[in-house]
Amino acid sequence: CWPRWIPHGDVVSYHRDDTGFGMAYAEISAMDSSRARRHLEDPERTDAMRPMNLYFGGLVTWFGAIGIQTVLFPFLVTGQLALGPAELGFAMMALFLPTMLLIMVGGATADHVDGRRILILVHFLSGLPALGILIAHLLDALTYEVLIIYALAMGVAGAFIIPARDSLLTHIADGKIQKAVMIATICQFGAQMLGFGLAALEPYIGIAVIFLS
């Protein structure tokens, strides 16, 4: 087994011990010695650390935004536009209907495309509808139609990000799937609660600041 962080040109010696596992020794110039020792002692831990941190970081940012959306989207419909329950119900349906209709397409895409690419792309594109809401609010041009377009766009994003996120977790969990699921669940609900709390500050900091966050 060859440590991936050791460039082939830097290897000084290589031998196979009695257990059948290879041990490589190298002169590392571009990497500090402490990191090299940690990688030799537990290469699986250091290899998985960065993908796991990035995964859970993306999970927190996504569900934090979902928490904000859960509070502010109905508020924009009923509070800002002063519309009734029928309009609110239709707007909420527009938020979830695309996800239900396209979830199979999203799952098939996740089976054939790298999940990391899907997550990065969808996270980036999901910021555009929120930016549109912010611009419409600042220009005093926020209408019910704008909110419906936002809801449909976020529903489509959810259809692709949910399968990609779930399938990617099994790849980065490194066999510890139950622990990974537990951490993901904590991040999900914790981030949503933070989003709820941030949205509750709307009377004090304004909608524009919340959307920028």
Side-chain angles (χ1 to χ4, degrees):
C1 58
W2 194 274
R4 284 176 288 178
W5 56 270
I6 299 180
H8 284 72
D10 290 342
V11 174
V12 177
S13 63
Y14 180 81
H15 73 272
R16 185 171 297 276
D17 58 17
D18 295 337
T19 63
F21 293 96
M23 179 68 71
Y25 301 90
E27 295 176 351
I28 308 299
S29 57
M31 183 183 299
D32 63 280
S33 58
S34 62
R35 182 183 172 192
R37 284 196 301 271
R38 289 197 304 269
H39 205 111
L40 281 172
E41 292 171 358
D42 193 354
E44 294 184 357
R45 179 176 181 272
T46 52
D47 286 344
M49 185 79 67
R50 180 174 172 82
M52 290 288 285
N53 289 343
L54 292 176
Y55 178 87
F56 291 126
L59 200 67
V60 168
T61 57
W62 177 264
F63 280 102
I66 293 298
I68 295 174
Q69 173 185 276
T70 303
V71 176
L72 286 188
F73 185 74
F75 169 74
L76 291 175
V77 176
T78 59
Q80 293 288 308
L81 300 181
L83 298 175
E87 290 81 3
L88 177 59
F90 184 79
M92 296 301 294
M93 183 179 68
L95 192 61
F96 293 99
L97 184 62
T99 302
M100 184 187 71
L101 296 178
L102 297 175
I103 193 70
M104 298 296 290
V105 178
T109 304
D111 288 338
H112 295 88
V113 181
D114 186 4
R116 293 170 297 179
R117 296 182 179 180
I118 297 177
L119 292 181
I120 293 172
L121 180 61
V122 175
H123 270 79
F124 174 77
L125 294 178
S126 296
L128 300 181
L131 181 61
I133 292 289
L134 174 61
I135 294 174
H137 173 74
L138 294 176
L139 297 178
D140 198 21
L142 185 63
T143 63
Y144 185 66
E145 290 74 18
V146 171
L147 292 179
I148 293 298
I149 294 174
Y150 167 86
L152 293 173
M154 294 304 296
V156 173
F160 286 90
I161 202 170
I162 292 173
R165 184 180 64 231
D166 293 346
S167 64
L168 189 60
L169 181 61
T170 60
H171 292 290
I172 66 174
D174 195 26
K176 301 177 181 177
I177 186 64
Q178 294 298 330
K179 180 180 179 181
V181 170
M182 178 187 67
I183 298 175
T185 303
I186 293 174
C187 290
Q188 174 180 339
F189 287 101
Q192 287 189 54
M193 287 188 290
L194 289 176
F196 297 155
L198 183 59
L201 299 177
E202 186 276 333
Y204 308 100
I205 62 178
I207 293 178
V209 176
I210 296 176
F211 271 102
L212 285 175
S213 64

PDB file of all heavy atoms in Angstrom, residues 185-211:
ATOM      1  N   THR A 185     -27.252  14.239  10.799  1.00  0.00           N
ATOM      2  CA  THR A 185     -28.548  14.606  11.370  1.00  0.00           C
ATOM      3  C   THR A 185     -28.404  15.769  12.340  1.00  0.00           C
ATOM      4  O   THR A 185     -29.219  16.703  12.343  1.00  0.00           O
ATOM      5  CB  THR A 185     -29.169  13.403  12.087  1.00  0.00           C
ATOM      6  OG1 THR A 185     -29.295  12.310  11.164  1.00  0.00           O
ATOM      7  CG2 THR A 185     -30.544  13.744  12.639  1.00  0.00           C
ATOM      8  N   ILE A 186     -27.356  15.729  13.172  1.00  0.00           N
ATOM      9  CA  ILE A 186     -27.112  16.831  14.107  1.00  0.00           C
ATOM     10  C   ILE A 186     -26.849  18.131  13.353  1.00  0.00           C
ATOM     11  O   ILE A 186     -27.380  19.195  13.700  1.00  0.00           O
ATOM     12  CB  ILE A 186     -25.931  16.486  15.035  1.00  0.00           C
ATOM     13  CG1 ILE A 186     -26.305  15.321  15.954  1.00  0.00           C
ATOM     14  CG2 ILE A 186     -25.523  17.698  15.867  1.00  0.00           C
ATOM     15  CD1 ILE A 186     -25.153  14.810  16.797  1.00  0.00           C
ATOM     16  N   CYS A 187     -26.028  18.049  12.313  1.00  0.00           N
ATOM     17  CA  CYS A 187     -25.738  19.243  11.515  1.00  0.00           C
ATOM     18  C   CYS A 187     -27.004  19.779  10.849  1.00  0.00           C
ATOM     19  O   CYS A 187     -27.221  20.999  10.789  1.00  0.00           O
ATOM     20  CB  CYS A 187     -24.688  18.920  10.457  1.00  0.00           C
ATOM     21  SG  CYS A 187     -23.027  18.612  11.090  1.00  0.00           S
ATOM     22  N   GLN A 188     -27.826  18.869  10.363  1.00  0.00           N
ATOM     23  CA  GLN A 188     -29.043  19.277   9.666  1.00  0.00           C
ATOM     24  C   GLN A 188     -29.985  20.047  10.576  1.00  0.00           C
ATOM     25  O   GLN A 188     -30.389  21.183  10.266  1.00  0.00           O
ATOM     26  CB  GLN A 188     -29.744  18.053   9.098  1.00  0.00           C
ATOM     27  CG  GLN A 188     -31.099  18.346   8.474  1.00  0.00           C
ATOM     28  CD  GLN A 188     -31.774  17.092   7.926  1.00  0.00           C
ATOM     29  OE1 GLN A 188     -31.107  16.091   7.665  1.00  0.00           O
ATOM     30  NE2 GLN A 188     -33.084  17.131   7.759  1.00  0.00           N
ATOM     31  N   PHE A 189     -30.334  19.464  11.719  1.00  0.00           N
ATOM     32  CA  PHE A 189     -31.294  20.117  12.605  1.00  0.00           C
ATOM     33  C   PHE A 189     -30.670  21.313  13.319  1.00  0.00           C
ATOM     34  O   PHE A 189     -31.347  22.322  13.558  1.00  0.00           O
ATOM     35  CB  PHE A 189     -31.840  19.108  13.616  1.00  0.00           C
ATOM     36  CG  PHE A 189     -32.802  18.119  13.017  1.00  0.00           C
ATOM     37  CD1 PHE A 189     -32.387  16.838  12.695  1.00  0.00           C
ATOM     38  CD2 PHE A 189     -34.110  18.485  12.744  1.00  0.00           C
ATOM     39  CE1 PHE A 189     -33.263  15.931  12.131  1.00  0.00           C
ATOM     40  CE2 PHE A 189     -34.999  17.582  12.180  1.00  0.00           C
ATOM     41  CZ  PHE A 189     -34.573  16.305  11.870  1.00  0.00           C
ATOM     42  N   GLY A 190     -29.384  21.216  13.659  1.00  0.00           N
ATOM     43  CA  GLY A 190     -28.722  22.356  14.284  1.00  0.00           C
ATOM     44  C   GLY A 190     -28.664  23.557  13.361  1.00  0.00           C
ATOM     45  O   GLY A 190     -28.922  24.696  13.772  1.00  0.00           O
ATOM     46  N   ALA A 191     -28.333  23.320  12.089  1.00  0.00           N
ATOM     47  CA  ALA A 191     -28.261  24.419  11.126  1.00  0.00           C
ATOM     48  C   ALA A 191     -29.639  25.021  10.880  1.00  0.00           C
ATOM     49  O   ALA A 191     -29.774  26.243  10.734  1.00  0.00           O
ATOM     50  CB  ALA A 191     -27.661  23.919   9.811  1.00  0.00           C
ATOM     51  N   GLN A 192     -30.671  24.196  10.835  1.00  0.00           N
ATOM     52  CA  GLN A 192     -32.023  24.723  10.644  1.00  0.00           C
ATOM     53  C   GLN A 192     -32.435  25.601  11.817  1.00  0.00           C
ATOM     54  O   GLN A 192     -33.059  26.665  11.620  1.00  0.00           O
ATOM     55  CB  GLN A 192     -33.020  23.578  10.466  1.00  0.00           C
ATOM     56  CG  GLN A 192     -32.931  22.885   9.125  1.00  0.00           C
ATOM     57  CD  GLN A 192     -34.077  21.910   8.897  1.00  0.00           C
ATOM     58  OE1 GLN A 192     -35.243  22.264   9.003  1.00  0.00           O
ATOM     59  NE2 GLN A 192     -33.739  20.688   8.573  1.00  0.00           N
ATOM     60  N   MET A 193     -32.091  25.197  13.027  1.00  0.00           N
ATOM     61  CA  MET A 193     -32.430  26.019  14.184  1.00  0.00           C
ATOM     62  C   MET A 193     -31.693  27.350  14.154  1.00  0.00           C
ATOM     63  O   MET A 193     -32.248  28.403  14.513  1.00  0.00           O
ATOM     64  CB  MET A 193     -32.132  25.257  15.475  1.00  0.00           C
ATOM     65  CG  MET A 193     -33.117  24.142  15.762  1.00  0.00           C
ATOM     66  SD  MET A 193     -32.913  23.405  17.396  1.00  0.00           S
ATOM     67  CE  MET A 193     -31.344  22.549  17.169  1.00  0.00           C
ATOM     68  N   LEU A 194     -30.439  27.333  13.704  1.00  0.00           N
ATOM     69  CA  LEU A 194     -29.709  28.584  13.546  1.00  0.00           C
ATOM     70  C   LEU A 194     -30.378  29.469  12.492  1.00  0.00           C
ATOM     71  O   LEU A 194     -30.462  30.691  12.653  1.00  0.00           O
ATOM     72  CB  LEU A 194     -28.257  28.300  13.153  1.00  0.00           C
ATOM     73  CG  LEU A 194     -27.363  27.690  14.233  1.00  0.00           C
ATOM     74  CD1 LEU A 194     -25.979  27.381  13.662  1.00  0.00           C
ATOM     75  CD2 LEU A 194     -27.244  28.629  15.428  1.00  0.00           C
ATOM     76  N   GLY A 195     -30.855  28.835  11.413  1.00  0.00           N
ATOM     77  CA  GLY A 195     -31.578  29.587  10.395  1.00  0.00           C
ATOM     78  C   GLY A 195     -32.862  30.194  10.930  1.00  0.00           C
ATOM     79  O   GLY A 195     -33.189  31.350  10.629  1.00  0.00           O
ATOM     80  N   PHE A 196     -33.592  29.426  11.752  1.00  0.00           N
ATOM     81  CA  PHE A 196     -34.802  29.960  12.367  1.00  0.00           C
ATOM     82  C   PHE A 196     -34.478  31.182  13.226  1.00  0.00           C
ATOM     83  O   PHE A 196     -35.172  32.201  13.177  1.00  0.00           O
ATOM     84  CB  PHE A 196     -35.474  28.895  13.245  1.00  0.00           C
ATOM     85  CG  PHE A 196     -35.955  27.687  12.499  1.00  0.00           C
ATOM     86  CD1 PHE A 196     -36.095  26.470  13.149  1.00  0.00           C
ATOM     87  CD2 PHE A 196     -36.259  27.758  11.148  1.00  0.00           C
ATOM     88  CE1 PHE A 196     -36.541  25.342  12.474  1.00  0.00           C
ATOM     89  CE2 PHE A 196     -36.707  26.643  10.452  1.00  0.00           C
ATOM     90  CZ  PHE A 196     -36.842  25.434  11.121  1.00  0.00           C
ATOM     91  N   GLY A 197     -33.418  31.051  14.009  1.00  0.00           N
ATOM     92  CA  GLY A 197     -33.037  32.161  14.884  1.00  0.00           C
ATOM     93  C   GLY A 197     -32.615  33.390  14.112  1.00  0.00           C
ATOM     94  O   GLY A 197     -32.955  34.519  14.482  1.00  0.00           O
ATOM     95  N   LEU A 198     -31.871  33.185  13.026  1.00  0.00           N
ATOM     96  CA  LEU A 198     -31.452  34.326  12.217  1.00  0.00           C
ATOM     97  C   LEU A 198     -32.639  35.005  11.553  1.00  0.00           C
ATOM     98  O   LEU A 198     -32.721  36.241  11.499  1.00  0.00           O
ATOM     99  CB  LEU A 198     -30.444  33.867  11.154  1.00  0.00           C
ATOM    100  CG  LEU A 198     -29.841  34.951  10.258  1.00  0.00           C
ATOM    101  CD1 LEU A 198     -29.121  35.999  11.094  1.00  0.00           C
ATOM    102  CD2 LEU A 198     -28.891  34.338   9.239  1.00  0.00           C
ATOM    103  N   ALA A 199     -33.590  34.206  11.058  1.00  0.00           N
ATOM    104  CA  ALA A 199     -34.780  34.778  10.440  1.00  0.00           C
ATOM    105  C   ALA A 199     -35.622  35.539  11.455  1.00  0.00           C
ATOM    106  O   ALA A 199     -36.298  36.517  11.100  1.00  0.00           O
ATOM    107  CB  ALA A 199     -35.612  33.671   9.787  1.00  0.00           C
ATOM    108  N   ALA A 200     -35.576  35.118  12.713  1.00  0.00           N
ATOM    109  CA  ALA A 200     -36.347  35.811  13.746  1.00  0.00           C
ATOM    110  C   ALA A 200     -35.812  37.211  14.024  1.00  0.00           C
ATOM    111  O   ALA A 200     -36.514  38.031  14.641  1.00  0.00           O
ATOM    112  CB  ALA A 200     -36.335  34.988  15.032  1.00  0.00           C
ATOM    113  N   LEU A 201     -34.602  37.499  13.571  1.00  0.00           N
ATOM    114  CA  LEU A 201     -34.022  38.830  13.764  1.00  0.00           C
ATOM    115  C   LEU A 201     -34.452  39.820  12.693  1.00  0.00           C
ATOM    116  O   LEU A 201     -33.960  40.958  12.670  1.00  0.00           O
ATOM    117  CB  LEU A 201     -32.491  38.737  13.779  1.00  0.00           C
ATOM    118  CG  LEU A 201     -31.869  37.871  14.876  1.00  0.00           C
ATOM    119  CD1 LEU A 201     -30.362  37.817  14.702  1.00  0.00           C
ATOM    120  CD2 LEU A 201     -32.232  38.410  16.254  1.00  0.00           C
ATOM    121  N   GLU A 202     -35.344  39.417  11.806  1.00  0.00           N
ATOM    122  CA  GLU A 202     -35.760  40.290  10.691  1.00  0.00           C
ATOM    123  C   GLU A 202     -36.253  41.664  11.144  1.00  0.00           C
ATOM    124  O   GLU A 202     -35.915  42.676  10.512  1.00  0.00           O
ATOM    125  CB  GLU A 202     -36.832  39.568   9.872  1.00  0.00           C
ATOM    126  CG  GLU A 202     -37.254  40.299   8.604  1.00  0.00           C
ATOM    127  CD  GLU A 202     -38.321  41.347   8.844  1.00  0.00           C
ATOM    128  OE1 GLU A 202     -39.082  41.172   9.831  1.00  0.00           O
ATOM    129  OE2 GLU A 202     -38.378  42.334   8.080  1.00  0.00           O
ATOM    130  N   PRO A 203     -37.035  41.777  12.221  1.00  0.00           N
ATOM    131  CA  PRO A 203     -37.466  43.122  12.625  1.00  0.00           C
ATOM    132  C   PRO A 203     -36.311  44.030  13.030  1.00  0.00           C
ATOM    133  O   PRO A 203     -36.474  45.258  13.031  1.00  0.00           O
ATOM    134  CB  PRO A 203     -38.403  42.858  13.808  1.00  0.00           C
ATOM    135  CG  PRO A 203     -38.848  41.432  13.644  1.00  0.00           C
ATOM    136  CD  PRO A 203     -37.662  40.741  13.048  1.00  0.00           C
ATOM    137  N   TYR A 204     -35.175  43.452  13.381  1.00  0.00           N
ATOM    138  CA  TYR A 204     -34.057  44.243  13.893  1.00  0.00           C
ATOM    139  C   TYR A 204     -32.984  44.520  12.843  1.00  0.00           C
ATOM    140  O   TYR A 204     -32.362  45.587  12.851  1.00  0.00           O
ATOM    141  CB  TYR A 204     -33.422  43.537  15.096  1.00  0.00           C
ATOM    142  CG  TYR A 204     -34.429  43.166  16.164  1.00  0.00           C
ATOM    143  CD1 TYR A 204     -34.929  41.866  16.260  1.00  0.00           C
ATOM    144  CD2 TYR A 204     -34.904  44.108  17.065  1.00  0.00           C
ATOM    145  CE1 TYR A 204     -35.862  41.518  17.227  1.00  0.00           C
ATOM    146  CE2 TYR A 204     -35.830  43.781  18.045  1.00  0.00           C
ATOM    147  CZ  TYR A 204     -36.304  42.480  18.114  1.00  0.00           C
ATOM    148  OH  TYR A 204     -37.234  42.142  19.078  1.00  0.00           O
ATOM    149  N   ILE A 205     -32.744  43.564  11.956  1.00  0.00           N
ATOM    150  CA  ILE A 205     -31.657  43.743  10.987  1.00  0.00           C
ATOM    151  C   ILE A 205     -32.152  43.838   9.557  1.00  0.00           C
ATOM    152  O   ILE A 205     -31.391  44.207   8.659  1.00  0.00           O
ATOM    153  CB  ILE A 205     -30.628  42.596  11.094  1.00  0.00           C
ATOM    154  CG1 ILE A 205     -31.277  41.252  10.759  1.00  0.00           C
ATOM    155  CG2 ILE A 205     -30.023  42.552  12.476  1.00  0.00           C
ATOM    156  CD1 ILE A 205     -30.297  40.079  10.807  1.00  0.00           C
ATOM    157  N   GLY A 206     -33.420  43.507   9.319  1.00  0.00           N
ATOM    158  CA  GLY A 206     -33.992  43.650   7.991  1.00  0.00           C
ATOM    159  C   GLY A 206     -33.805  42.415   7.129  1.00  0.00           C
ATOM    160  O   GLY A 206     -32.911  41.595   7.343  1.00  0.00           O
ATOM    161  N   ILE A 207     -34.664  42.270   6.120  1.00  0.00           N
ATOM    162  CA  ILE A 207     -34.626  41.121   5.222  1.00  0.00           C
ATOM    163  C   ILE A 207     -33.360  41.108   4.384  1.00  0.00           C
ATOM    164  O   ILE A 207     -32.781  40.058   4.139  1.00  0.00           O
ATOM    165  CB  ILE A 207     -35.885  41.114   4.318  1.00  0.00           C
ATOM    166  CG1 ILE A 207     -37.125  40.855   5.143  1.00  0.00           C
ATOM    167  CG2 ILE A 207     -35.756  40.065   3.219  1.00  0.00           C
ATOM    168  CD1 ILE A 207     -38.410  40.869   4.335  1.00  0.00           C
ATOM    169  N   ALA A 208     -32.913  42.277   3.955  1.00  0.00           N
ATOM    170  CA  ALA A 208     -31.744  42.358   3.068  1.00  0.00           C
ATOM    171  C   ALA A 208     -30.514  41.760   3.719  1.00  0.00           C
ATOM    172  O   ALA A 208     -29.769  40.987   3.096  1.00  0.00           O
ATOM    173  CB  ALA A 208     -31.489  43.803   2.682  1.00  0.00           C
ATOM    174  N   VAL A 209     -30.284  42.068   4.985  1.00  0.00           N
ATOM    175  CA  VAL A 209     -29.114  41.548   5.684  1.00  0.00           C
ATOM    176  C   VAL A 209     -29.209  40.032   5.817  1.00  0.00           C
ATOM    177  O   VAL A 209     -28.223  39.302   5.666  1.00  0.00           O
ATOM    178  CB  VAL A 209     -28.963  42.209   7.067  1.00  0.00           C
ATOM    179  CG1 VAL A 209     -27.796  41.593   7.834  1.00  0.00           C
ATOM    180  CG2 VAL A 209     -28.760  43.708   6.899  1.00  0.00           C
ATOM    181  N   ILE A 210     -30.402  39.524   6.092  1.00  0.00           N
ATOM    182  CA  ILE A 210     -30.577  38.079   6.256  1.00  0.00           C
ATOM    183  C   ILE A 210     -30.315  37.357   4.946  1.00  0.00           C
ATOM    184  O   ILE A 210     -29.647  36.327   4.916  1.00  0.00           O
ATOM    185  CB  ILE A 210     -32.000  37.771   6.775  1.00  0.00           C
ATOM    186  CG1 ILE A 210     -32.185  38.375   8.166  1.00  0.00           C
ATOM    187  CG2 ILE A 210     -32.245  36.275   6.813  1.00  0.00           C
ATOM    188  CD1 ILE A 210     -33.581  38.216   8.709  1.00  0.00           C
ATOM    189  N   PHE A 211     -30.824  37.891   3.851  1.00  0.00           N
ATOM    190  CA  PHE A 211     -30.592  37.250   2.556  1.00  0.00           C
ATOM    191  C   PHE A 211     -29.110  37.316   2.160  1.00  0.00           C
ATOM    192  O   PHE A 211     -28.591  36.394   1.538  1.00  0.00           O
ATOM    193  CB  PHE A 211     -31.455  37.893   1.468  1.00  0.00           C
ATOM    194  CG  PHE A 211     -32.809  37.272   1.325  1.00  0.00           C
ATOM    195  CD1 PHE A 211     -33.940  37.874   1.844  1.00  0.00           C
ATOM    196  CD2 PHE A 211     -32.953  36.057   0.665  1.00  0.00           C
ATOM    197  CE1 PHE A 211     -35.187  37.300   1.713  1.00  0.00           C
ATOM    198  CE2 PHE A 211     -34.195  35.468   0.536  1.00  0.00           C
ATOM    199  CZ  PHE A 211     -35.307  36.091   1.057  1.00  0.00           C
TER     200      PHE A 211
END
